[in-house]
Amino acid sequence: MAMEGRFHFYEGYDMKQVTFPIRVMHELGIENLFVSNASGGMNPEFKIGDLMIITDHINFFPEHPLHGKNFPTGPRFLDMHEAYDHTLIQMADEIAKEKNIRIVHGVYMGVQGPTFETPAEYRMYHKMGADAVGMSTVPEVIVARHSGIKVFGISVITDLGGFDVPVEVSHEEVQEAANMAQPHMTEIMREMIKRS
């Protein structure tokens, strides 16, 4: 099953609506979820166009997707020590090495949006332990894990922030960087699906 795009919290949807597709996927028997996003990089070793395999995340959304009555797909208090599956990460690393595709690893910070971050926010998020920041992914991953679905996540680093020289960001530039990196991301994911 594949989705084109997603529902975003910043568009006015609540978390139940944002994560409803994941609930449907669970009912359809999906076992592995591959998520991708465009994000702003804060790690000084990152470059625009890098593919960052998500190793963990920080949930900075003002609403939690499991708030309210507990769905019977998982426990009331969900263990999130392995939000992103280590076996899938290892497989992606091997494929990227075989195909000579540059990848980096990092922690993804999920925020509400819809504004891009200020330089001070970029610096704060980086000091909190994040390597990249974006406006999606985290709610879906939480609900997937609550449903027993394994997750692999990858971010396209579309802009950089929090450094000494501020850089203006436009939605068009983000899209352009994402489009350039997409073929490599697709190549990794297609090969992962073949080997899964």
Side-chain angles (χ1 to χ4, degrees):
M1 176 180 179
M3 282 183 62
E4 185 178 353
R6 54 161 51 95
F7 301 107
H8 292 91
F9 187 69
Y10 66 73
E11 293 176 287
Y13 298 104
D14 64 34
M15 282 299 181
K16 297 289 186 284
Q17 294 168 314
V18 167
T19 58
F20 180 73
I22 308 302
R23 297 290 182 195
V24 173
M25 290 177 194
H26 172 260
E27 293 300 319
L28 292 173
I30 300 298
E31 296 178 359
N32 295 316
L33 175 68
F34 289 24
V35 292
S36 65
N37 60 56
S39 63
M42 301 166 290
N43 187 318
E45 296 182 11
F46 289 1
K47 302 172 187 171
I48 290 176
D50 273 349
L51 297 176
M52 183 191 86
I53 292 177
I54 305 173
T55 56
D56 204 348
H57 71 229
I58 299 170
N59 182 12
F60 220 60
F61 283 90
E63 183 182 325
H64 197 283
L66 300 183
H67 182 256
K69 185 179 178 182
N70 187 49
F71 274 78
T73 58
R76 170 76 283 185
F77 301 104
L78 176 65
D79 176 25
M80 290 292 290
H81 82 276
E82 192 178 343
Y84 301 85
D85 189 78
H86 295 165
T87 305
L88 293 174
I89 291 171
Q90 185 177 358
M91 186 191 301
D93 284 340
E94 290 168 3
I95 292 166
K97 188 175 181 182
E98 288 169 16
K99 296 183 178 292
N100 201 28
I101 297 172
R102 173 182 158 87
I103 54 166
V104 294
H105 286 201
V107 175
Y108 177 84
M109 169 82 77
V111 298
Q112 166 176 303
T115 54
F116 291 115
E117 288 67 35
T118 67
E121 287 169 339
Y122 274 125
R123 289 192 296 272
M124 177 184 73
Y125 295 152
H126 187 53
K127 285 180 181 176
M128 291 172 72
D131 296 289
V133 59
M135 306 169 199
S136 66
T137 303
V138 171
E140 297 104 306
V141 171
I142 291 170
V143 170
R145 295 303 302 128
H146 189 257
S147 302
I149 299 171
K150 293 178 181 176
V151 177
F152 172 76
I154 194 163
S155 296
V156 178
I157 304 302
T158 54
D159 59 279
L160 300 170
F163 307 124
D164 292 336
V165 181
V167 180
E168 281 192 37
V169 183
S170 73
H171 183 61
E172 291 73 26
E173 288 171 326
V174 166
Q175 284 183 315
E176 185 180 340
N179 291 339
M180 287 175 62
Q182 186 175 351
H184 289 310
M185 180 181 70
T186 303
E187 193 174 359
I188 291 171
M189 287 188 171
R190 278 190 178 146
E191 189 61 30
M192 287 178 74
I193 291 166
K194 283 182 192 172
R195 299 184 190 187
S196 295

